[in-house]
Structure formats: C-alpha cells, structure tokens
Amino acid sequence: MAQEQKRPQPSSEETEEVVEETTGDVAERKDAIDEDVDSILDEIDEVLEQNAEDFVKSFIQKGGQ
C-alpha cells in the first residue's frame, strides 16, 4: 500500500506575498529588457539613417554571388 505524505500548506497570506514579490520582480526585469531593446533599435535606426545606401548595397548580389 502506498503511503500518503502530507505537506504543510502555506497560509493564503504567505502565498499572496510570494505572488506579489514575483510579479514585481518580473515587471522590473521586463522594463529593463524593454529599455535595452529600445536602445538597440535606436542604435540600428541611427546607423541606417547615416549609411542606408551602403547598408542596402551590401545585401545586393553581384554577378553570381
């Protein structure tokens, strides 16, 4: 026969605290990642504004490449 193991259940207050802390941490990390992505996209835009023609020419195939 299988034995049942009973685990103590955390109170609802403890569970709510953990969920709130986790949600806050995730939101902070998401904001930081969003800022990083935005700065990278801004950099790409700047490069394309300055060298758009050169950028496009680098992707044009030349004579059987």
Side-chain angles (χ1 to χ4, degrees):
M1 260 190 208
Q3 284 184 326
E4 290 185 31
Q5 293 183 356
K6 294 186 179 182
R7 296 183 189 173
Q9 296 294 324
S11 70
S12 62
E13 291 176 6
E14 291 174 352
T15 304
E16 289 175 11
E17 287 178 16
V18 171
V19 170
E20 288 175 6
E21 289 176 10
T22 303
T23 304
D25 291 344
V26 170
E28 289 175 14
R29 282 188 272 164
K30 181 191 176 299
D31 290 342
I33 291 172
D34 285 348
E35 289 175 12
D36 290 344
V37 169
D38 286 344
S39 68
I40 291 171
L41 290 175
D42 288 342
E43 253 184 80
I44 292 170
D45 284 343
E46 288 176 19
V47 169
L48 289 177
E49 285 175 7
Q50 294 172 1
N51 301 318
E53 187 176 344
D54 293 337
F55 181 81
V56 172
K57 284 181 181 179
S58 69
F59 286 98
I60 296 173
Q61 276 189 329
K62 297 177 183 174
Q65 284 184 340

